[in-house]
Amino acid sequence: MHNIWQQQLKQALSGRTSEKLRQHPDFSHAGDGLFKTVITDEVNTAIKESSQPHVLLNQFLPINRETNIHPDFNQDPVGDHNALAQQGIIHKYHGRVLLVASGSCAVNCRYCFRRHFPYQKQLASRRNWQAVVSYLHNHPEVHEVILSGGDPLTLTTQSLTELTDRLIDLPHIKTLRIHSRMVTVLPDRIDGEFLNWLDALPWRKVLVTHINHADELTHKAMGSLHRLKQHSITLLNQSVLLKNVNDDADTLINLSHKLFDEGVLPYYLHLFDRVQNAAHFEVSLSRAQRIYARMRSQLPGYLLPKLVKEEAGEHSKTPLI
Ligand code: SF4
């Protein structure tokens, strides 16, 4: 039997909750065909309640410009393919590995740098969890496992439990990090069963949310952050600097303050990754640096996310300041 969040996810994936977007005058069937439109009811609510609905809409609405092909953009802008250590394991940086734990998300963000990722072939799914454990066993220098995707919280808590049960005997694992957008786009995912799972884990726990604009923090989303905070999980946020979404300093300064109000520290502000079919989101480096300089002049250091770019083949993210 499905619980509430699973029913909501099912509705989003079936397209039922994207009806409004499909009626929008800028909606493009061609864009939708390139990367399916997926949005949740919670995001529909956030759009309705926002005084600047376009800042949310632009993140999820497929438009004709997605069909433009740019020679300087590609399908794997951050070099995931070359960093695949084995199926579903991306090992780029020292001491941590990323598991592509799920190929789906509750929303499809039009600017996603993994919008072309071959999830069918490259998933750390239940079928190859044993291979994941063997890989980690052979890499005692790895102390942090990152669950990513797609969105790893589209997996049921039962599946997450089965996965983490397999990792428990690896003494060098000290931290579990989860990258998820569910906290804001499908806040009912943070339910009692999930929190019990977190509580039972023996490691340090970090959840990195993905919030680009303060209007994504609906009443329910703030509730889910509050529940997580009560369970002693470190909460960080990463944003992507996106044209016509959050490309001005006041918007990002406001976001940092709002995140802090909810117990979340701003972690990264990513320069847009040059993924094919999403070039219209790009903000130039010089403009990004101007925006960032103003953020730096207005925010205390602990509320200033690091402005970075992920470059294929590099052993860490590149700071842009
Ligand atoms: S939630 Fe994350 S992985 Fe999923 S489409 Fe959005 S940016 Fe990509």
Side-chain angles (χ1 to χ4, degrees):
M1 200 175 71
H2 286 170
N3 53 31
I4 290 175
W5 74 264
Q6 284 174 293
Q7 288 167 15
Q8 293 167 346
L9 179 62
K10 208 169 149 197
Q11 281 190 351
L13 296 175
S14 74
R16 259 177 283 164
T17 44
S18 60
E19 275 315 308
K20 277 230 169 68
L21 286 195
R22 288 168 192 281
Q23 287 155 20
H24 192 280
D26 293 335
F27 175 85
S28 157
H29 286 283
D32 184 38
L34 289 169
F35 189 42
K36 190 183 162 193
T37 310
V38 181
I39 190 169
T40 58
D41 258 343
E42 190 62 19
V43 179
N44 282 327
T45 303
I47 291 172
K48 208 161 93 189
E49 289 176 353
S50 174
S51 57
Q52 306 162 271
H54 70 279
V55 299
L56 299 170
L57 202 56
N58 289 348
Q59 296 182 52
F60 307 108
L61 180 73
I63 59 172
N64 256 332
R65 290 175 76 185
E66 288 186 33
T67 58
N68 295 348
I69 298 297
H70 290 263
D72 297 334
F73 291 64
N74 66 66
Q75 301 206 340
D76 181 16
V78 298
D80 277 344
H81 184 76
N82 284 341
L84 278 162
Q86 61 182 51
Q87 187 176 336
I89 298 183
I90 295 178
H91 195 166
K92 279 184 187 171
Y93 303 146
H94 179 77
R96 57 250 191 229
V97 296
L98 183 148
L99 304 187
V100 183
S102 168
S104 49
C105 298
V107 288
N108 275 350
C109 313
R110 310 315 299 175
Y111 53 87
C112 179
F113 70 89
R114 290 209 179 109
R115 56 179 283 165
H116 300 286
F117 191 84
Y119 289 112
Q120 280 93 344
K121 287 194 226 143
Q122 289 297 348
L123 206 57
S125 61
R126 188 185 261 113
R127 264 201 326 273
N128 59 357
W129 282 346
Q130 195 44 49
V132 168
V133 174
S134 301
Y135 183 84
L136 291 169
H137 182 79
N138 292 331
H139 287 82
E141 79 283 7
V142 171
H143 56 81
E144 180 170 7
V145 172
I146 304 169
L147 302 185
S148 184
D151 196 315
L153 296 195
T154 55
L155 298 178
T156 63
T157 304
Q158 178 61 33
S159 293
L160 292 170
T161 308
E162 285 173 35
L163 172 60
T164 51
D165 279 355
R166 288 170 182 250
L167 305 181
I168 244 137
D169 292 332
L170 297 167
H172 51 289
I173 305 300
K174 306 287 183 210
T175 304
L176 182 76
R177 190 195 323 173
I178 301 167
H179 284 185
S180 176
R181 214 173 174 180
M182 295 286 259
V183 180
T184 47
V185 303
L186 208 146
D188 285 329
R189 175 66 186 94
I190 311 304
D191 61 4
E193 189 190 7
F194 175 74
L195 294 168
N196 288 341
W197 168 71
L198 278 180
D199 282 344
L201 297 175
W203 311 297
R204 294 183 292 248
K205 289 150 279 190
V206 181
L207 194 144
V208 183
T209 60
H210 174 176
I211 303 169
N212 296 319
H213 192 285
D215 285 3
E216 292 165 44
L217 287 161
T218 60
H219 184 69
K220 274 182 97 168
M222 290 190 283
S224 71
L225 288 169
H226 183 69
R227 288 197 292 286
L228 285 162
K229 206 66 207 165
Q230 285 178 323
H231 287 257
S232 308
I233 182 161
T234 300
L235 293 173
L236 305 173
N237 182 62
Q238 51 184 349
S239 307
V240 185
L241 185 60
L242 299 166
K243 194 169 179 180
N244 294 326
V245 174
N246 58 4
D247 58 330
D248 75 89
D250 288 340
T251 296
L252 292 165
I253 291 166
N254 183 42
L255 174 61
S256 277
H257 285 300
K258 288 274 164 56
L259 288 168
F260 191 51
D261 286 347
E262 304 311 321
V264 184
L265 284 176
Y267 172 40
Y268 279 137
L269 175 62
H270 293 270
L271 200 69
F272 169 74
D273 298 308
R274 305 187 99 190
V275 65
Q276 194 60 272
N277 306 107
H280 52 285
F281 284 107
E282 187 168 50
V283 176
S284 70
L285 176 59
S286 58
R287 181 159 155 67
Q289 287 175 325
R290 279 200 302 280
I291 291 170
Y292 195 69
R294 200 168 116 66
M295 290 171 71
R296 199 160 54 155
S297 74
Q298 302 287 312
L299 287 166
Y302 60 91
L303 292 188
L304 186 68
K306 295 185 198 94
L307 177 66
V308 292
K309 178 163 182 54
E310 184 162 346
E311 292 181 300
E314 291 297 327
H315 293 291
S316 66
K317 301 211 171 21
T318 308
L320 296 175
I321 200 85

